[in-house]
Each structure stands twice: as structure tokens, then as C-alpha cells.
Amino acid sequence: MAYIVPKLTDFSPAALDAAVQQLLSALNQESSAIASENDWKAYRDRWMARKNGVLTQLNDLWLKAAPGPNKKDVGQRVNELKGKVEQTVEDTLAHLMSDAASYRLAAERLDVTLPGIRRTIGAEHPVIKTMNEMIGVFRNLGFSVEEGPEVETDFYNFEALNFPPNHPARDTQDTLFIAGQSEKPLRDRLLLRTHTSPVQIRTMQKMKPPVRVVCPGKVHRNDAPDATHSPIFHQIEGLAVDTNITFCDLKGTLDHAMKAMFGSNVKTRFYPSFFPFTEPSADVQISCIFCDGKGTRDGGPCRNCKASGWIELLGCGMVDPNVYGFVDYDASKYSGFAFGMGVERIAILKYGVDDIQLFFNGDIRFLEQFS
Ligand code: DAH
């Protein structure tokens, strides 16, 4: 029940004492019930508002009503009460605030002795790591990096690379075709690129010689997965076109790259081969890194090179002049070389991995060995 200021008729000290006591106990009781800032504001106004607050009422109902001889005593008591009310109202607010602060402190309590959460740092996938390492080797030789789309047109994947329509060389590519393309002209039909060589064409359409680029990326083939095949794998393509580029430049560049990748003891060998977009073409073999090119290991034939001492690693050649016809390069003025290598194959050799599927299964016990 809210306190109501009584109208005084008895102004004897005993009666005044009682009235003051009653007022103070009401003041304290109301103070202890306050739980929010809004409660407190209402409390303050009830007791201290100029218009009709308890203090104002004391003036009217007690002081002004007091007969002359009692005025001084009542005046003193009312003054004291004024001080007490103001003090109590102020203390009530301070109390409320310190309660709120300690609630917040309790809620935000932090146990600094709890063990922390350790998040392990991710690492490059061994295929990407190998790819970046290889790119680094060519960057140091002045090559820059170009990329192209994985969904390609027949034109870029085949035609401009000198695989004419229906040419049997297309059969070597085990192509995955995108469905519903038969209404389009052949060269616009979509497929999943089978090699990174289309980026050669896209690059030559974009820039004039001198061109020196490597093109890393994912490629797709209709191959059943086994220890040496995967329907998705990665290649790095290389292309250099300028005036007076010769087969010697190709040999020197790849010999250097293989030594940078596998160690300076490694030898390279260029073996005649065929690709539609290079002429002449070659397969590059490196001396076997497992038996040092000897062909024998631990008293028996080396299994890694089938006792030959050589491991076949990549394809290359001098850019076929027919290709320049598709990109408006003057074949009488420019010459160039190209190469393409499988990244997984290099990683397999470099790290001694015996199953290509390990790269794609996502087994953390395998992958973390490369971090
Ligand atoms: N694109 C070929 C393939 O995946 C690899 C290749 C061979 C790329 C010779 C070249 C090259 O640039 O000159 O089968």
C-alpha cells in the first residue's frame, strides 16, 4: 500500500515522532521493492515531485497546518525528512545500478582457466601443392599463368587444336559430352575439356607473341577409376610462341623444369610421338628416380621403370602451323613449343604414392602427411 500523508491534528512531539516513523518506514519499504529503473522513477516522483509529491504534501498538511507555537518543531522535522527522502531516493538508484552491474558481470563471467579450442590449420592438397611448385618453376623462367573453362566447346578442345571432325585422334581423348547439344553446329557443342590444351588457343586469341604461359587446371575423361586412372585429374599446359623459337628451347626448358622438380641428377630423353597440334611431337622421359636410371634395384629389375631406366612423364612438341591458322598468327613469322603434363602423375612419382585414388578419397590420414 502506497503511503498517504496524514492530516495532522495533534502536534505534540510524541505524535510527530510517530508520524515521522511511519513515513520513514514507508519510504524504506517502498525502496526495497524497486526492481527496475522505471520503478525507481515512479518512486522518485511519488516522493519528490514538486506537484503533489510527498514532500510537497508535508509542507501543506504538516507545516502550514501547524499552530504557531509548534511551527518551529514541525519545520525542523519536515526539513530533516526532506534530507532523508532525497538521500534514500538517491541511494536506491545507486543500489539498483550496482545490482545491474553485478548481474552483467556474472553473466559475462569468463573462466580463463578452461582449455582453449585448438583449430588445426588447413594445408594445401598434395595435388595443388605439386601444381603450384611446378608453376613456380615456370614462373621463374618468365612464364605467366592463364586459365580456361572446364566446360569447353568442341572448337577449343578439338577443332582449333587440329583434331578435325571425325578424325581418329579424337578417340584417344575419352571425352565426356554434355547432353542435348546435337542441334548446335559441331564446333559449338559443349563437353568437359579432356586436356588443358584449349587454353593455348584461348591465350593466342587474346594476345600476340611473345607468349609464354602455363595453364594449370582440372580435366575430365571417361575413364573408370583404378590405381592409375581417375575420371578427374589435373594438367599443366605450357606454351611459348615468339620469333625463332626452336626445338632446342623446348628441350632446354623441359630439361631444366624436370631437374628443378626431381633433382639435378635427373636426365631427360625426348622420344618421337604424335599429337595433332604439335609437329614434331615428343614424349619426355626422365631417368628413373627410383633406380637412378640403372633399371635394377635391390638386386632385381626396377618395378617403377619396368627395368628400362626411364619413366615417361609428359607430351610436347613444336606448335603445328595449322594451329596458328585458327588464331590468326603468321606461321611464317612465329614458331613455338607446347607441352602438357599430368599433375597427379608427377605427385605420384615425387611422393612415392602407389594409388591415384588416394588423392581424391579425402582420407585425412593420407592428406596430413603432406602438410
Ligand atoms: N593435351 C595432351 C593430352 O592431354 C598433352 C599434350 C601433349 C599437351 C603435347 C601439349 C603437347 O601441349 O604439346 O593428351
Side-chain angles (χ1 to χ4, degrees):
M1 258 282 278
Y3 174 73
I4 292 167
V5 183
K7 241 193 182 121
L8 289 189
T9 46
D10 181 354
F11 288 93
S12 66
L16 286 174
D17 279 349
V20 165
Q21 269 322 308
Q22 210 189 356
L23 184 146
L24 287 177
S25 79
L27 178 70
N28 288 326
Q29 208 179 341
E30 285 183 33
S31 164
S32 63
I34 281 162
S36 71
E37 209 174 324
N38 279 344
D39 285 359
W40 175 79
K41 279 183 183 155
Y43 172 67
R44 177 197 60 195
D45 294 346
R46 244 181 59 63
W47 288 83
M48 289 170 54
R50 232 168 253 280
K51 220 176 120 188
N52 225 26
V54 171
L55 291 181
T56 305
Q57 291 181 45
L58 287 186
N59 255 346
D60 295 339
L61 300 180
W62 290 14
L63 190 58
K64 283 186 186 157
N70 299 106
K71 270 231 195 304
K72 192 175 168 207
D73 184 21
V74 174
Q76 240 169 28
R77 289 173 191 265
V78 167
N79 251 346
E80 261 169 45
L81 279 176
K82 200 176 160 224
K84 280 194 176 148
V85 167
E86 282 169 359
Q87 189 61 50
T88 306
V89 168
E90 196 178 300
D91 290 351
T92 305
L93 179 64
H95 188 71
L96 187 70
M97 289 308 178
S98 84
D99 267 3
S102 55
Y103 276 136
R104 219 176 45 235
L105 272 182
E108 291 175 1
R109 209 179 126 104
L110 184 69
D111 184 350
V112 294
T113 66
L114 282 175
I117 299 166
R118 184 185 297 259
R119 295 188 204 283
T120 46
I121 302 171
E124 264 180 338
H125 188 278
V127 170
I128 301 300
K129 184 175 163 146
T130 306
M131 193 147 96
N132 285 339
E133 222 176 304
M134 191 57 99
I135 289 169
V137 169
F138 286 100
R139 265 189 189 285
N140 288 343
L141 292 174
F143 285 69
S144 53
V145 177
E146 285 291 330
E147 290 180 297
E150 278 174 56
V151 177
E152 261 301 4
T153 61
D154 186 282
F155 176 77
Y156 286 107
N157 199 77
F158 290 126
E159 192 181 337
L161 287 164
N162 204 27
F163 292 78
N166 300 316
H167 193 279
R170 290 185 172 221
D171 293 348
T172 62
Q173 297 282 312
D174 302 307
T175 311
L176 291 160
F177 295 94
I178 307 278
Q181 303 284 303
S182 56
E183 299 301 305
K184 294 182 182 170
L186 180 64
R187 57 162 55 188
D188 297 335
R189 292 184 200 168
L190 298 174
L191 47 81
L192 298 182
R193 70 177 178 192
T194 58
H195 49 181
T196 44
S197 304
V199 190
Q200 288 188 32
I201 307 299
R202 290 182 174 276
T203 304
M204 287 189 280
Q205 282 181 336
K206 229 170 41 180
M207 53 176 100
K208 292 288 166 214
V211 167
R212 276 194 298 274
V213 291
V214 282
C215 321
K218 200 179 279 173
V219 303
H220 303 255
R221 300 238 178 140
N222 183 19
D223 274 333
D226 63 23
T228 54
H229 294 86
S230 165
I232 300 174
F233 59 103
H234 298 77
Q235 288 188 335
I236 297 175
E237 193 77 15
L239 175 71
V241 183
D242 202 343
T243 49
N244 302 316
I245 299 248
T246 68
F247 202 92
C248 292
D249 298 312
L250 170 61
K251 281 190 84 171
T253 302
L254 289 180
D255 187 69
H256 167 81
M258 294 304 109
K259 285 179 163 65
M261 208 59 192
F262 294 104
S264 52
N265 288 336
V266 159
K267 296 187 184 61
T268 54
R269 181 164 90 163
F270 289 68
Y271 220 74
S273 184
F274 173 78
F275 301 100
F277 42 94
T278 44
E279 182 61 35
S281 304
D283 285 326
V284 181
Q285 304 176 344
I286 61 168
S287 54
C288 180
I289 53 176
F290 300 99
C291 65
D292 272 339
K294 291 197 275 290
T296 56
R297 192 154 55 113
D298 303 331
C302 175
R303 279 180 297 118
N304 297 90
C305 62
K306 299 205 183 80
S308 71
W310 295 96
I311 293 178
E312 197 173 298
L313 207 51
L314 62 119
C316 67
M318 301 306 291
V319 179
D320 191 306
N322 284 352
V323 171
Y324 295 137
F326 286 97
V327 296
D328 277 338
Y329 274 17
D330 183 349
S332 67
K333 195 166 153 199
Y334 298 116
S335 58
F337 63 76
F339 56 86
M341 57 185 104
V343 181
E344 283 79 1
R345 174 133 178 79
I346 291 166
I348 279 170
L349 290 175
K350 206 169 152 64
Y351 296 111
V353 176
D354 57 11
D355 186 346
I356 194 175
Q357 299 304 320
L358 287 166
F359 290 128
F360 305 113
N361 290 342
D363 187 332
I364 199 84
R365 293 167 302 177
F366 171 74
L367 296 173
E368 69 188 359
Q369 297 178 63
F370 299 90
S371 64

